[in-house]
Amino acid sequence: MDKRSIFERDYAGEPVSPNEPDYQLLIADIEDCMAKANELNSGRFSFAEARKRFGEIIGQEIDDSSLIMPPVYIDYGKHVKMGKGCVIQQCCTFFGRCGIELGNGVFVGPKVNLITINHDPNPENRSTTYGKKIVIEDNVWIGIAATILPGVHLGYGCIVGANAVVTKDVPPYAIVAGNPAKIIKYIEH
């Protein structure tokens, strides 16, 4: 029998089900995180205060060079890490249970979705979730309303076009767009 906690198995991307005895512990953590995000989103805060509150949600002091523009929707902040000089614009969604790593100088446009969780495709087991970490290297720009799906690695300096759905890794300096996102060209450097 697996002795790891549901939190460890969930972070590792292994399937977790509402039928497990400690699933409610995970749900309680999610509810707590979402309540903190709701507090951030329902107030009128300076950018400095929004940065501080978002840092409390993810358990990290965020460098003063970064900018957080609420509202920000986040279900699990404990596994979200953010570098210096990042910009997170309004209405972004972070499903962070399996980990989201943002490097330095990452620009996240409005309404971007960073999704680390997926559901079992079997309709009889659809409430079971599993996932993979998202890694975003330095100086990446993610355009408005793009969606980054579980397990994607965005390489240094790449650009994700508006409304793109990224299902596969993007190499450094690539520009991708579309659904599913495809490389349309490379940035000269």
Side-chain angles (χ1 to χ4, degrees):
M1 179 163 158
D2 194 341
K3 296 189 188 271
R4 293 175 301 154
S5 74
I6 195 165
F7 300 102
E8 293 168 312
R9 290 183 296 108
D10 188 56
Y11 180 63
E14 297 172 15
V16 295
S17 167
N19 300 326
E20 297 181 42
D22 52 355
Y23 188 79
Q24 289 308 313
L25 298 174
L26 179 61
I27 294 301
D29 254 16
I30 291 169
E31 288 175 346
D32 181 58
C33 180
M34 292 174 73
K36 289 177 183 174
N38 189 46
E39 289 173 13
L40 169 62
N41 296 337
S42 62
R44 182 175 174 159
F45 301 108
S46 67
F47 287 138
E49 183 64 20
R51 181 175 49 250
K52 178 178 178 268
R53 287 176 178 256
F54 189 74
E56 291 168 357
I57 292 169
I58 68 171
Q60 171 191 343
E61 185 173 335
I62 298 175
D63 190 80
D64 289 348
S65 62
S66 292
L67 178 63
I68 310 295
M69 298 179 197
V72 177
Y73 306 102
I74 183 166
D75 73 336
Y76 204 80
K78 292 179 181 179
H79 302 311
V80 175
K81 303 297 174 218
M82 191 162 91
K84 297 178 179 179
C86 294
V87 176
I88 310 297
Q89 293 188 355
Q90 306 90 330
C91 301
C92 290
T93 299
F94 291 73
F95 279 16
R97 286 172 35 199
C98 290
I100 298 171
E101 294 180 9
L102 289 89
N104 296 318
V106 173
F107 285 15
V108 180
K111 300 181 182 179
V112 165
N113 302 296
L114 303 175
I115 310 297
T116 66
I117 294 297
N118 207 341
H119 290 269
D120 191 322
N122 177 349
E124 303 303 318
N125 199 32
R126 188 81 28 96
S127 61
T128 295
T129 58
Y130 59 91
K132 291 182 180 176
K133 179 186 288 190
I134 292 172
V135 176
I136 302 169
E137 292 187 13
D138 294 349
N139 298 317
V140 168
W141 174 17
I142 305 173
I144 188 169
T147 297
I148 313 302
L149 293 177
V152 168
H153 186 119
L154 299 179
Y156 180 92
C158 74
I159 298 173
V160 176
N163 290 305
V165 177
V166 184
T167 61
K168 296 182 178 166
D169 293 351
V170 177
Y173 297 104
I175 300 174
V176 298
N179 180 4
K182 295 188 182 333
I183 296 171
I184 55 174
K185 67 179 187 177
Y186 283 88
I187 301 165
E188 292 184 27
H189 60 282

